[in-house]
Amino acid sequence: MKAYVYVSLKKSVLDPQGKTIHGALQKMGYKGLDGVRQGKYFELDLASSLTKPEAEAEVTRIASTVLTNPVIEEFQIKVE
Amino acid sequence: MKAYVYVSLKKSVLDPQGKTIHGALQKMGYKGLDGVRQGKYFELDLASSLTKPEAEAEVTRIASTVLTNPVIEEFQIKVE
């Protein structure tokens, strides 16, 4: 089973890295961009012995306690 | 319109950062993990004047030329 964790900065937190990418893309001539935000993305290989609810619980626990800084970041998970 | 770009290392490329996270999680007692790989994730705000095919073409161009190193990375996009 595979799980995907997407971590991004909360909307209320400034993202200077995203701003820099946005500025660079504009200078390079890419049009139609109103903003860029960067986040992190983790791909977890899970043991096949886990059931889907168990896997979701485990991945949520890992994401909220290890992969994310809850003060400034939020996450989404997808298990398949 | 929003576009999401997920960049990950090609399967054939070693991911020491993912390996370190995997080792750390195992030491912390999380079971049932066979592997971790880390990637990047970009959220692009697109001008609403673009049509969906235009947006997909533009985002593919940005992802393949700027956000990804095609030698070691691959990407997936989602436009919605």
Side-chain angles (χ1 to χ4, degrees):
Chain A
M1 212 169 346
K2 285 241 178 201
Y4 302 90
V5 180
Y6 308 105
V7 177
S8 55
L9 286 169
K10 286 182 183 170
K11 292 284 166 283
S12 54
V13 177
L14 281 179
D15 178 6
Q17 196 173 4
K19 268 211 155 49
T20 304
I21 298 169
H22 184 202
L25 286 170
Q26 281 182 320
K27 268 191 214 131
M28 293 170 76
Y30 292 100
K31 306 288 176 212
L33 269 180
D34 287 345
V36 178
R37 291 180 78 83
Q38 179 168 10
K40 288 175 290 185
Y41 152 69
F42 301 92
E43 217 178 291
L44 281 68
D45 264 326
L46 299 170
S48 45
S49 57
L50 292 176
T51 64
K52 197 169 173 185
E54 279 173 356
E56 277 174 355
E58 186 74 347
V59 171
T60 304
R61 216 150 55 88
I62 290 174
S64 59
T65 56
V66 183
L67 303 179
T68 308
N69 174 354
V71 179
I72 55 167
E73 293 172 333
E74 57 194 6
F75 68 90
Q76 286 181 296
I77 69 168
K78 194 172 84 183
V79 177
E80 62 189 23
Chain B
M1 214 170 346
K2 285 239 177 201
Y4 302 90
V5 180
Y6 308 105
V7 179
S8 55
L9 287 168
K10 287 182 182 169
K11 292 284 166 281
S12 54
V13 177
L14 281 179
D15 177 8
Q17 196 173 5
K19 266 211 158 45
T20 304
I21 298 168
H22 184 202
L25 286 170
Q26 281 182 319
K27 268 192 214 132
M28 293 169 76
Y30 291 100
K31 305 289 177 210
L33 269 181
D34 287 345
V36 178
R37 290 180 78 83
Q38 178 166 9
K40 288 175 290 185
Y41 152 67
F42 301 91
E43 217 178 291
L44 280 67
D45 264 325
L46 299 170
S48 45
S49 57
L50 293 175
T51 65
K52 199 169 171 184
E54 279 172 356
E56 278 175 354
E58 185 75 347
V59 171
T60 304
R61 218 150 55 89
I62 290 175
S64 58
T65 56
V66 183
L67 302 179
T68 308
N69 173 354
V71 180
I72 54 167
E73 292 172 333
E74 58 195 6
F75 67 90
Q76 286 181 297
I77 69 167
K78 194 173 84 183
V79 177
E80 61 188 25

